Amino acid sequence: MAVDNQRVDNGGLILFLVIITVALGSIVSSFASALLWAGLAALLFQPLYQRLLRRWPGRSNTAALVTMLIITFAVVIPALIVASLVVDQAAGVYTQMRSGQINFAAYFQQVHDALPTRLQQLLDRSGLGSFDAAQSRISSALQGSVSTLASQALSIGRNAAAFLLAFGVGLYVTFFLVRDGSRIGPAIVRALPLDRGVADRLADKFVAVVRATIKGSGVVALVQGALGAITFWIVGLPAGLLWGVLMAIAALLPAVGPALIWVPVAIYLLAIGAIWQAAVVIASGVLVIGLADNILRPILVGRDTGIPDWLVLVTTLGGIELVGLSGIVIGPLVAALFITGWQILTEQRLDTAV
């Protein structure tokens, strides 16, 4: 009887925890993105905080405050400045499109006419012989991810007050997560209803993927985007910073990468007879932008996350479509935990069989 009562009590506690967790999630759902990035920033900058804390023993508030100042001036303010410049350039490109100064249909036709005859016939048979047809095909193929990215960017402008509120909440929460992260993280791992070894392994995978995605992929993407913007500025293309940001976003996608941006630009420059400009873009794309990934990623990441490139691509696009820009991190993270969880289950079953 005592055992049955204990099971009922445990079941009631688990039911209560599920209900209260769902309720809490619903309450803070408006700030889910801000809380996510606060947690990721605290995790990423925890080593910096620990280094400052060793310099100022017992002064955790001071060390956390200095860490927040570094985050603000090294990351937040530059990101806001770049974002404002990109918005200005995007508005300028949109105005030029509306006025007819930029005519993508004419550009597409120039590229089409410059292609070999057999390739032109192939495009015509596939329904891509005109700009309108190509635009329709490409739009339908990229509708999910691109429309989500655009809506996220536009929502910031339309809901400036809500954005500033979420931004302030994120910074505020980051301070406490940086200061108390060394206690919160282990406490969460201990509270998980899992074997301690399994919980520790999942936690290690979580940290590895976050580090690889933000410190590795994120920084590499920013470097490649910056190199692309400089390249486009050298060859005289308008809105170079805007294209550089698009290249940085494309760099987050394995098997696609920055080539998604610079290859069409190089083809267009060749089609209009801008030979040296096209040569510069191709040389930069292959020798500079392409090699940046091979050089920087091993230095920044240091170890493999164990996720196949095709799965990273699919989960990143799916994550962006589901939760917006936060899907850049959430998608690969879910994939990594999925793989790790099944690996642990397989190992346990093999051990049981033996």
Side-chain angles (χ1 to χ4, degrees), residues 16-74:
F16 168 77
L17 289 174
V18 171
I19 294 174
I20 202 65
T21 301
V22 172
L24 179 62
S26 300
I27 291 173
V28 303
S29 59
S30 299
F31 301 99
S33 181
L35 294 176
L36 170 67
W37 286 102
L40 296 178
L43 178 63
L44 192 63
F45 286 92
Q46 187 64 210
L48 173 62
Y49 166 74
Q50 294 296 335
R51 189 177 298 116
L52 294 174
L53 191 59
R54 287 193 294 269
R55 178 173 296 182
W56 300 312
R59 302 175 63 181
S60 58
N61 287 331
T62 301
L65 181 60
V66 173
T67 303
M68 289 302 302
L69 290 175
I70 293 175
I71 293 174
T72 301
F73 286 98

Side-chain angles (χ1 to χ4, degrees), residues 234-311:
I234 291 175
V235 300
L237 288 175
L241 183 60
L242 173 61
W243 297 113
V245 169
L246 294 177
M247 185 177 293
I249 295 174
L252 295 171
L253 305 177
V256 180
L260 184 66
I261 304 298
W262 67 260
V263 168
V265 170
I267 293 175
Y268 164 71
L269 292 173
L270 288 173
I272 65 174
I275 304 301
W276 76 266
Q277 292 93 333
V280 169
V281 171
I282 294 173
S284 177
V286 175
L287 301 178
V288 180
I289 299 174
L291 290 180
D293 181 82
N294 297 328
I295 295 174
L296 293 177
R297 192 178 299 275
I299 297 175
L300 294 172
V301 179
R303 57 178 173 174
D304 188 15
T305 58
I307 313 176
D309 284 346
W310 65 267
L311 187 57

Side-chain angles (χ1 to χ4, degrees), residues 86-140:
V86 169
V87 169
D88 289 341
Q89 290 194 357
V93 171
Y94 178 75
T95 301
Q96 291 178 329
M97 290 173 58
R98 291 288 300 274
S99 64
Q101 295 179 359
I102 295 180
N103 189 339
F104 284 107
Y107 298 157
F108 183 89
Q109 194 61 44
Q110 284 180 298
V111 174
H112 178 271
D113 295 341
L115 295 174
T117 304
R118 289 185 177 274
L119 190 54
Q120 291 183 27
Q121 293 174 351
L122 179 62
L123 289 175
D124 293 339
R125 287 196 299 269
S126 64
L128 299 175
S130 66
F131 174 76
D132 291 337
Q135 184 184 42
S136 176
R137 291 286 188 90
I138 295 173
S139 296
S140 61

Side-chain angles (χ1 to χ4, degrees), residues 322-340:
L322 183 64
V323 296
L325 294 178
S326 299
I328 292 173
V329 177
I330 293 178
L333 178 59
V334 171
L337 295 179
F338 172 85
I339 293 174
T340 304

Side-chain angles (χ1 to χ4, degrees), residues 46 49-50 60-61 64 174-183:
Q46 187 64 210
Y49 166 74
Q50 294 296 335
S60 58
N61 287 331
T174 302
F175 172 83
F176 291 99
L177 293 181
V178 167
R179 190 190 66 180
D180 304 326
S182 58
R183 296 193 301 271

